[in-house]
Amino acid sequence: MRLLPFVIACVAVVIPVQAIAKPKPKIAIAPLDGDVGNKVGLAVVDALDGKDFVVISPKDTKRELTKLGAADELGAKDVRKLTTKLGAIAVIDGKVSKTGKKHSLHLEVHRRGKPDAGFTIEFKLTATDGFRRGVHDEVMKKLDGATEDTDEEPEKPVARAEPRDDDPPKRKPIADDDPPKRKPVADDDPPKRKKIADDDPPKRKKIADATGDDGEPAVRKRKHTLGEDQPVSQMLARVGAGGSVGQRRLSYNLRPGFTQIPPPVVTTAGGGRVDGEIYPFALANAASGGAGFGFAASYDKTFGLSIKVPNTTTSAPIDQSRYSVGARYRFTVGETSAVALGLDYYGRSYIADRSGLMANVLDTPDFKYSAVAPGISARTPVAPTVTLFGGLDGLLMLDAGPVVKATSYGSGTVYGVEAAAGIDVALTQQIGLRLAAEYSQINLSFSNKGTQDNNRDNDPTTQDVMGAVDRSIGVSATLGLTY
């Protein structure tokens, strides 16, 4: 008899543990039409994932859809295949669009063997409690109890023997004069359920406006991994590669009356370019304090560029390149625009290969700039797949290379500025085309007379070349992977 209390206690512990361990139902989120970078889709995942569901991300759902060969428009057959494969009770897809200043999200809930159920939410940002609450509550209503029967096993057919003529009947036949088993409902019987009057208060509190402007506290708090305080237009990472075409012009500022002008430089050539940008803290947790910090880098190399020595048929190859690497801090302005402050280490070079010139003299200085470049840039979307951007950098020169040495035009003051503007066009959710126009101007003011200046008139007492202006303009096109 002493064992009985122990057995009862064990059973009392095991039963709640089994109840707690009951698996949560799964729902799959398919990629949303018009959702660049899956930003809104991930916000939907974040709104639903928690104590009620296990949510399968758009990326994983898309992979299974591709394996199954499902069509872009989910049909009943596709839903049946996908829910069976993923073990999900429903599949959710939809479309993101923009109306006026607000974005619109339409979601369709597909359940196997059930009619599709949809709803639409308007929002400014996905990071509001109103957006999360609206998506969660609407999906719960559309599923309507589907979470309660996910663990039921399908009924197995029972094998039955063929009936024999002498077998007794399994069920007593009902005679015509047998009394009915159930009392018929009379016309004057009172209704079983109270009719709801028009002025009755609603049983359920109305869902707050999905824009989150009502100021009500959030229904539930969750840890957010992506999309928190990030507008749809902001990218978290990008790497691109492509081509560029640029023209460089070098002109001189001369002493008044001086006529022995150095030959101007005008060169045009194409090149290759790679660039990238990443916000690692936002990728890990967009709600973190460091989510706005990021890094950026770019490199451009000109191919096949050369310069002709005046009055000869000889040309000298030119090594021309540009690079920058630095840090960014980005913050949101308005509803969807973003501004980033940056600080880069910058380098640019124009070096002539004189090894093949023999006795010919190339009367052009070489340049190898290095600078610290503080800057500001901005991005703003003008359509669901189109974003305008622009930026301005100041060049605080550390060195200009051979041109400011005593063997050339001598030391001096060097400063510059660069600007760029362009457009990002999303071709798919992860692939985008970037078109940009660029301008660079570097001003040089020589304060000491150098050897190359003396060679102009053989007069070491007078400075003839007072300064120079180094300008470059160009365009570029890069294809990038965006997250």
Side-chain angles (χ1 to χ4, degrees):
M1 295 299 293
R2 293 180 179 179
L3 292 176
L4 182 58
F6 177 77
V7 173
I8 293 174
C10 291
V11 171
V13 171
V14 170
I15 291 176
V17 170
Q18 291 177 344
I20 293 173
K22 183 179 180 180
K24 291 181 286 187
K26 295 181 181 179
I27 53 177
I29 309 299
L32 306 178
D33 187 19
D35 181 17
V36 180
N38 276 335
K39 304 295 189 309
V40 180
L42 290 171
V44 172
V45 172
D46 184 58
L48 297 176
D49 196 14
K51 66 178 182 180
D52 297 315
F53 304 105
V54 172
V55 183
I56 302 168
S57 69
K59 183 178 179 180
D60 294 334
T61 303
K62 182 179 179 180
R63 181 166 56 248
E64 294 301 330
L65 285 169
T66 303
K67 291 179 181 179
L68 296 173
D72 293 338
E73 296 288 339
L74 285 177
K77 185 177 180 181
D78 298 325
V79 172
R80 184 170 62 252
K81 287 182 179 180
L82 189 59
T83 53
T84 301
K85 178 68 174 179
L86 298 176
I89 62 171
V91 180
I92 298 177
D93 67 354
K95 181 179 181 180
V96 179
S97 58
K98 187 176 181 181
T99 304
K101 294 184 178 180
K102 289 187 178 181
H103 296 275
S104 178
L105 170 64
H106 180 77
L107 294 179
E108 289 285 340
V109 181
H110 307 274
R111 291 174 56 189
R112 182 168 54 184
K114 303 286 185 179
D116 295 343
F119 61 93
T120 301
I121 285 182
E122 290 187 346
F123 65 96
K124 294 180 181 178
L125 295 176
T126 59
T128 63
D129 290 322
F131 176 86
R132 293 187 288 268
R133 183 169 62 247
V135 170
H136 176 271
D137 292 348
E138 286 294 332
V139 169
M140 288 290 289
K141 287 197 300 184
K142 302 306 179 187
L143 291 178
D144 191 21
T147 60
E148 299 176 0
D149 56 3
T150 55
D151 294 326
E152 293 184 0
E153 295 291 335
E155 184 178 355
K156 298 180 180 180
V158 179
R160 301 181 183 274
E162 291 294 329
R164 296 172 53 186
D165 295 338
D166 55 351
D167 282 346
K170 299 288 185 178
R171 182 180 297 174
K172 179 180 178 181
I174 300 174
D176 295 337
D177 56 353
D178 282 347
K181 297 291 186 181
R182 182 177 298 172
K183 180 181 178 180
V185 180
D187 295 337
D188 57 352
D189 281 349
K192 297 293 185 182
R193 183 176 299 173
K194 180 182 176 182
K195 183 177 180 181
I196 300 174
D198 294 337
D199 57 352
D200 281 350
K203 297 294 184 182
R204 181 178 296 178
K205 184 178 179 180
K206 184 179 179 181
I207 298 173
D209 181 12
T211 60
D213 295 332
D214 57 352
E216 294 185 2
V219 175
R220 292 186 297 157
K221 295 290 185 181
R222 304 182 187 88
K223 180 180 178 182
H224 308 295
T225 56
L226 286 175
E228 181 72 47
D229 299 327
Q230 297 288 338
V232 178
S233 63
Q234 287 193 20
M235 58 187 175
L236 302 181
R238 179 187 184 274
V239 59
S244 63
V245 177
Q247 183 181 85
R248 181 204 179 205
R249 290 178 175 268
L250 178 65
S251 58
Y252 299 92
N253 299 325
L254 305 175
R255 174 175 57 84
F258 184 69
T259 58
Q260 299 181 30
I261 303 173
V265 175
V266 180
T267 57
T268 304
R273 172 171 301 187
V274 292
D275 56 25
E277 186 177 1
I278 186 170
Y279 291 83
F281 301 106
L283 283 168
N285 182 359
S288 67
F293 287 99
F295 303 94
S298 67
Y299 179 76
D300 190 288
K301 173 69 173 177
T302 300
F303 301 117
L305 178 61
S306 63
I307 186 171
K308 185 179 178 181
V309 178
N311 304 317
T312 72
T313 59
T314 306
S315 295
I318 298 293
D319 181 7
Q320 177 174 299
S321 64
R322 176 197 177 280
Y323 68 90
S324 65
V325 58
R328 299 285 185 272
Y329 183 77
R330 181 176 65 183
F331 52 91
T332 303
V333 176
E335 297 178 1
T336 57
S337 300
V339 172
L341 303 177
L343 185 65
D344 290 353
Y345 182 79
Y346 168 94
R348 194 164 194 156
S349 63
Y350 310 88
I351 305 295
D353 182 3
R354 294 173 167 81
S355 60
L357 296 182
M358 304 300 288
N360 298 315
V361 177
L362 179 62
D363 188 14
T364 297
D366 292 335
F367 297 78
K368 190 172 184 178
Y369 301 112
S370 61
V372 173
I376 185 171
S377 62
R379 294 173 55 84
T380 184
V382 294
T385 60
V386 179
T387 300
L388 298 180
F389 67 87
L392 180 67
D393 295 324
L395 302 180
L396 308 179
M397 287 295 174
L398 304 175
D399 191 9
V403 68
V404 293
K405 305 301 181 186
T407 54
S408 185
Y409 287 103
S411 61
T413 303
V414 187
Y415 60 93
V417 64
E418 286 200 345
I423 185 172
D424 280 336
V425 180
L427 304 179
T428 68
Q429 289 184 343
Q430 278 79 40
I431 299 176
L433 176 65
R434 172 170 292 183
L435 302 174
E438 300 159 343
Y439 177 82
S440 171
Q441 178 170 319
I442 299 174
N443 297 317
L444 302 96
S445 179
F446 305 121
S447 58
N448 291 322
K449 189 174 178 65
T451 302
Q452 204 161 1
D453 184 282
N454 291 335
N455 292 338
R456 310 233 67 82
D457 58 0
N458 294 320
D459 182 2
T461 62
T462 305
Q463 184 171 346
D464 304 312
V465 181
M466 311 302 294
V469 178
D470 193 350
R471 294 188 182 92
S472 296
I473 58 172
V475 294
S476 65
T478 57
L479 199 63
L481 293 175
T482 302
Y483 183 75

